[in-house]
Amino acid sequence: MNQINEIKELQARLKSLKTDGKSIGFVPTMGALHEGHLKLVEECKLANDICVVSIFVNPLQFDNADDLEKYPRDLVSDAAMLEKVGVDVLFAPTVSEMYPKPAVVNILFGEMATLLEGKYRNGHFEGVGVVVSKLLHIVSPDKAYFGLKDLQQYMLIKRMCDDLSFPLEIIGVDIVREESGLARSSRNRRLSKEGLEIASNISKGLGIAKEMLDKKSPISEIKQKLTNFYNGVEGLDTEYVEVVDGEDLTSLDDYPKSESIAICVAAYVENVRLIDNLFSQDLKN
Ligand code: AMP
């Protein structure tokens, strides 16, 4: 595996691979890698000749200095993990390499970025938009892989790439979970054993909601049941629980006309902010 920290060096390396006709797959991450990231890598490796992974904790997408500072970083063990699974190139730039000058360009996504995460994380998606467009320009991959754990992020990036005709395909990858059902996340490292147990109730709640969705229970009942369930879990503080249209993420009081629906949750456990969702794309079946 080549580990490269500079944009120019990465581009020179990729240029020679591309002239050899190799297809490039790209997995952007913020590191502190886990099985969720490795699933993206696995899919990337299956469908492309070359797999490039980036590790960059992007300051622009954090609205909270404490959250940015506490974000887990472990480049040495991340690199070992990526080498082991056969990644070809790891791109791990510094902040000054990525932003030698503060970016004056911004990516505004409009309405969809004001919902769910956007309501609670000021400027988050704008920061994601800048870093993802920059990384996609630098790497210029044929395919880029994003987890459905960050459903809103996936949808906004897909939309950005469509709207601006980025010449690549965005692939969404299903959520990878712990045995307890807890969605894997770099932030889980900050939880105690007890915290991990409390956090596993986030996906338990979604499991109950799934059963109700399958029975076509009214949306209002699903919301109420889920809210009551989470309120009953000591140590779990939900920030939002929303049932939304799976195409535009607008809040629903009834089943949508579209085929897809999502139930999205953000919650704090031991001061760690966690998100999860249930995304159902075949409601009519
Ligand atoms: P992050 O390092 O948290 O920015 O995540 C990098 C990529 O991995 C994003 O596209 C995430 O959606 C994806 N990802 C993170 N956790 C998971 C998971 N548990 N399952 C699937 N994808 C994930």
Side-chain angles (χ1 to χ4, degrees):
M1 183 177 77
N2 288 145
Q3 183 173 331
I4 297 175
N5 307 322
E6 284 171 15
I7 296 170
K8 284 222 162 76
E9 189 188 342
L10 176 71
Q11 287 182 312
R13 175 85 187 105
L14 293 177
K15 195 171 171 192
S16 79
L17 290 165
K18 282 176 197 160
T19 42
D20 287 345
K22 305 245 193 254
S23 62
I24 310 280
F26 178 45
V27 180
T29 82
M30 296 204 297
L33 302 177
H34 51 70
E35 293 295 323
H37 297 111
L38 294 186
K39 179 76 185 154
L40 271 61
V41 168
E42 188 186 318
E43 298 220 356
C44 176
K45 279 178 61 67
L46 278 175
N48 301 276
D49 298 320
I50 298 292
C51 172
V52 180
V53 175
S54 66
I55 294 182
F56 179 62
V57 181
N58 174 36
L60 293 190
Q61 70 191 68
F62 287 80
D63 63 343
N64 178 327
D66 188 50
D67 195 23
L68 172 61
E69 194 204 318
K70 290 201 175 125
Y71 199 84
R73 293 162 171 91
D74 197 347
L75 188 57
V76 173
S77 90
D78 284 349
M81 211 187 256
L82 294 175
E83 171 121 52
K84 197 164 159 212
V85 296
V87 165
D88 302 283
V89 180
L90 165 59
F91 178 50
T94 59
V95 173
S96 59
E97 176 68 9
M98 283 294 276
Y99 305 118
K101 292 178 252 175
V104 291
V105 170
N106 207 355
I107 304 280
L108 299 178
F109 290 96
E111 178 76 17
M112 209 200 277
T114 65
L115 309 168
L116 301 170
E117 289 295 285
K119 220 192 259 180
Y120 297 92
R121 301 187 70 188
N122 198 15
H124 172 67
F125 289 118
E126 287 81 353
V128 168
V130 170
V131 80
V132 172
S133 357
K134 180 150 180 148
L135 288 166
L136 292 177
H137 278 113
I138 293 169
V139 177
S140 194
D142 297 284
K143 294 186 170 69
Y145 294 78
F146 292 86
L148 295 181
K149 169 163 176 289
D150 299 281
L151 181 64
Q152 190 174 14
Q153 169 176 282
Y154 160 76
M155 287 171 72
L156 290 170
I157 286 169
K158 202 165 161 51
R159 190 58 197 270
M160 173 181 81
C161 292
D162 285 349
D163 282 4
L164 300 178
S165 297
F166 279 42
L168 81 163
E169 204 183 324
I170 298 293
I171 315 276
V173 178
D174 284 342
I175 301 177
V176 177
R177 298 177 178 283
E178 311 267 358
E179 242 170 69
S180 68
L182 175 64
R184 295 206 183 241
S185 165
S186 306
R187 292 165 191 265
N188 294 353
R189 293 185 185 198
R190 291 171 51 199
L191 295 173
S192 70
K193 198 162 163 253
E194 196 194 356
L196 285 167
E197 218 170 292
I198 295 168
S200 69
N201 285 290
I202 299 173
S203 60
K204 275 200 193 94
L206 291 175
I208 297 168
K210 171 85 173 84
E211 280 173 23
M212 293 179 78
L213 266 186
D214 290 345
K215 285 192 222 138
K216 295 279 179 299
S217 304
I219 297 295
S220 58
E221 274 178 31
I222 299 179
K223 263 196 216 175
Q224 195 56 54
K225 176 95 181 179
L226 198 52
T227 305
N228 292 346
F229 176 80
Y230 289 143
N231 286 344
V233 180
E234 209 178 315
L236 183 82
D237 293 314
T238 50
E239 188 160 59
Y240 63 77
V241 179
E242 293 262 16
V243 181
V244 298
D245 187 299
E247 280 175 15
D248 60 14
L249 301 182
T250 52
S251 189
L252 291 174
D253 292 317
D254 206 345
Y255 280 86
K257 288 201 183 68
S258 69
E259 305 245 316
S260 66
I261 196 164
I263 303 180
C264 301
V265 184
Y268 282 89
V269 177
E270 296 176 339
N271 274 329
V272 178
R273 190 173 187 280
L274 304 167
I275 59 170
D276 198 351
N277 70 77
L278 169 76
F279 185 37
S280 172
Q281 289 180 280
D282 53 0
L283 271 186
K284 303 287 182 282
N285 295 330

